[in-house]
Amino acid sequence: MAQLIKIRMPNGNVYTPGDWTAAQPLYSTVEIGTGAFPILTAYSYALGGAVPGSPGQRQSTLADTNLDGEGARLPENEELLAYALAIEAFMVGPQTDQPPPGEYVSQLPMVSMQNMLRIQRDLLVITKIAAVKEYTHAPMSWFPASTGTHETNSVALFDTRGFVDANNGGDSVSDIREFASPLYVKGGETLTVDVRPGPGQVNGLSLGPGSRIRLRFYFEGYRKLPVA
Amino acid sequence: MAIEKIRMPDGTEIIVDEWIAMPRYSTIEWAAGIDVNLRAFTYVVGANVPQQGAVPGGVRVSTQTDTNQTTRTRLNRDQAFLAYSLTFEAFSLSTGGLAPQVNAPAPAVSANNFRRMQRDLVLSLVIGANIQKPQARMPFSWAGQGPGAKLYASTGTLGVNQALSVGSAGGGPSPKNQRSWRLPVYIAPDRVFYVETKSHRAPRDASTGTLDQAIRLRLYIDGLNRRPLA
């Protein structure tokens, strides 16, 4: 497909048109299950690739990622100036109706209080650009979702159990944590976000068989996209 | 007839118009249990509201509360729009939730259904005919909610062994919770535009994560609207 990359004027001047936008965050998804795992890497795949950590290597959809190209890098014709990273969580998969004693269970796709605290406690988020240096290195809880559902519940008489849903930090737009200095990723450069469990797994994670906690990562910032 | 230009005796042209902070809005509806793929801003008042699936109440003729579009799927030739935010409000057309114990009576959307929408839906603002590249695209959860009802619940329930659970976007409905774009998006006069709402639900979520309420979604593009002076 022909793309407008450069315009050479009759006097020899060369202009490079670009379409910068702040209306499209760059997002990617991984899925966390019970048991040990060394690393799961967001942005390691492009749209249509397999979602890391998903049962059966589920093919990603536009709800999982909007990264084009081959994955693990920004396409050659794009640029990214990220000023914030946000992480939101969903519970997916079969719902357990037989929770262990002392365990609150949330209804899908909410994440329960205890599971949210476990992943906040045990997961480290490491952003790498150009595969050289780390640009973020902090627990997942450091990056509030700034998204989520504002719930209003009455007193629960749900059988004999209540429920406590949880969000990764604040659910308001203003709750996003902005970088003091933005991160720049030029076209073609590798970009990954590693999710690493400090103890080797998320300890005590209570999920039904085949269930996962789906984490969607957002880089908010300015993106230069192809003109056409 | 609108006054658009004034040509002065010396040949100078003055363009006369009025920029006003007025959002454009449009409504779509879809039934419970299906994957939505609808476009908003594609109709004017008096046309049918775009629907998908068997929506309670059936086909519905739109009113002024559904849309303020003056031309189908485009801006009028004497208008322009500078968009800096995409937001929404959601209503249900049926009672749902985890009936019978936990539910949200219509027109409230249950918290679980709202979270499913946040998980699966992607909004795309497309400008231009036969254009694939969106000018704005985001998962539904990323678009904050400006308008909506703030709720205050007492203790007690709707009935024996029943509880209420209602959801809205994070932070609660508030203009402060609309996500504003640092670089606004311009829609030129007479330019085709629409907002696509599409579900990209993973197939494995089918048995455990579909909506159990029919939804009416009113989408707003917030920004500055240029219109003729008279």
Side-chain angles (χ1 to χ4, degrees):
Chain A
M1 186 185 82
Q3 286 195 8
L4 192 63
I5 299 176
K6 290 182 187 174
I7 301 173
R8 190 184 302 276
M9 305 301 289
N11 61 3
N13 288 345
V14 176
Y15 295 97
T16 305
D19 180 9
W20 284 91
T21 179
Q24 297 198 46
L26 186 65
Y27 56 92
S28 184
T29 301
V30 300
E31 294 187 358
I32 308 288
T34 55
F37 65 93
I39 288 177
L40 288 172
T41 302
Y43 301 95
S44 61
Y45 63 100
L47 181 60
V51 176
S54 60
Q57 291 296 290
R58 172 175 77 77
Q59 185 179 26
S60 59
T61 69
L62 196 56
D64 295 304
T65 186
N66 62 347
L67 180 64
D68 286 326
E70 60 192 74
R73 67 176 69 243
L74 214 56
E76 294 276 349
N77 52 8
E78 292 188 15
E79 292 176 51
L80 172 68
L81 188 66
Y83 49 75
L85 175 64
I87 305 171
E88 67 175 342
F90 302 90
M91 175 82 173
V92 296
Q95 175 71 49
T96 176
D97 288 326
Q98 301 296 329
E103 187 79 17
Y104 278 97
V105 173
S106 289
Q107 299 300 318
L108 294 172
M110 310 307 203
V111 179
S112 71
M113 168 191 70
Q114 286 150 297
N115 277 339
M116 180 61 74
L117 288 170
R118 289 169 184 135
I119 61 176
Q120 286 187 323
R121 178 194 66 201
D122 290 342
L123 292 182
L124 202 57
V125 174
I126 300 168
T127 300
K128 290 180 184 172
I129 300 172
V132 175
K133 290 196 295 185
E134 298 177 349
Y135 287 86
T136 70
H137 186 115
M140 190 188 99
S141 49
W142 188 251
F143 305 102
S146 77
T147 65
T149 298
H150 180 81
E151 291 187 45
T152 300
N153 302 305
S154 70
V155 170
L157 282 181
F158 187 22
D159 294 335
T160 57
R161 298 197 305 263
F163 60 91
V164 183
D165 299 333
N167 206 58
N168 179 36
D171 55 17
S172 164
V173 168
S174 56
D175 289 324
I176 202 165
R177 186 185 294 278
E178 290 195 355
F179 301 135
S181 60
L183 304 180
Y184 174 66
V185 185
K186 70 178 183 181
E189 215 155 43
T190 58
L191 170 66
T192 55
V193 176
D194 289 342
V195 180
R196 186 182 302 168
Q201 64 179 19
V202 179
N203 286 330
L205 197 60
S206 178
L207 298 174
S211 294
R212 295 287 188 273
I213 292 183
R214 184 173 294 167
L215 301 179
R216 186 155 61 193
F217 295 75
Y218 295 85
F219 275 118
E220 187 183 28
Y222 300 95
R223 289 181 64 197
K224 184 183 138 187
L225 300 177
V227 172
Chain B
M1 186 181 78
I3 299 174
E4 292 184 358
K5 291 181 191 177
I6 300 174
R7 191 187 302 275
M8 306 301 289
D10 63 356
T12 306
E13 279 194 0
I14 301 173
I15 297 188
V16 180
D17 57 25
E18 176 186 33
W19 286 88
I20 186 169
M22 180 181 292
R24 307 197 76 84
Y25 58 90
S26 185
T27 303
I28 56 175
E29 297 177 350
W30 68 93
I34 66 170
D35 293 328
V36 63
N37 184 3
L38 287 171
R39 294 180 179 182
F41 300 93
T42 54
Y43 63 99
V44 296
V45 174
N48 291 339
V49 174
Q51 293 180 336
Q52 191 167 349
V55 174
V59 173
R60 184 170 69 82
V61 175
S62 62
T63 69
Q64 289 186 346
T65 57
D66 293 305
T67 186
N68 62 350
Q69 275 291 91
T70 52
T71 314
R72 289 170 46 191
T73 322
R74 64 175 65 238
L75 266 192
N76 225 23
R77 52 177 294 279
D78 56 4
Q79 294 178 332
F81 200 85
L82 195 64
Y84 48 72
S85 179
L86 185 60
T87 188
F88 63 90
E89 50 183 340
F91 307 91
S92 69
L93 302 173
S94 55
T95 293
L98 304 167
Q101 286 90 0
V102 181
N103 61 65
V109 180
S110 76
N112 296 81
N113 279 332
F114 201 90
R115 195 65 177 141
R116 291 176 183 124
M117 289 162 60
Q118 290 185 320
R119 181 193 65 198
D120 297 335
L121 301 188
V122 175
L123 305 178
S124 303
L125 169 63
V126 177
I127 300 171
N130 294 323
I131 295 293
Q132 298 293 323
K133 185 180 89 166
Q135 292 301 312
R137 170 173 278 170
M138 64 208 73
F140 186 67
S141 52
W142 190 254
Q145 183 174 355
K150 190 170 173 66
L151 304 181
Y152 307 88
S154 70
T155 58
T157 66
L158 299 175
V160 177
N161 283 340
Q162 287 197 358
L164 170 76
S165 181
V166 175
S168 60
S174 167
K176 291 183 292 186
N177 282 330
Q178 281 181 219
R179 209 174 289 267
S180 287
W181 307 327
R182 297 190 182 192
L183 295 176
V185 174
Y186 178 64
I187 307 177
D190 200 30
R191 188 59 58 95
V192 166
F193 81 96
Y194 58 87
V195 173
E196 176 191 79
T197 301
K198 188 171 179 180
S199 171
H200 293 270
R201 180 167 52 86
R204 71 184 295 267
D205 293 335
S207 62
T208 55
T210 54
L211 296 175
D212 59 20
Q213 288 176 292
I215 300 293
R216 176 181 296 169
L217 190 67
R218 184 156 59 197
L219 290 156
Y220 295 81
I221 305 177
D222 196 4
L224 292 170
N225 192 26
R226 191 192 87 189
R227 62 185 183 187
L229 194 58

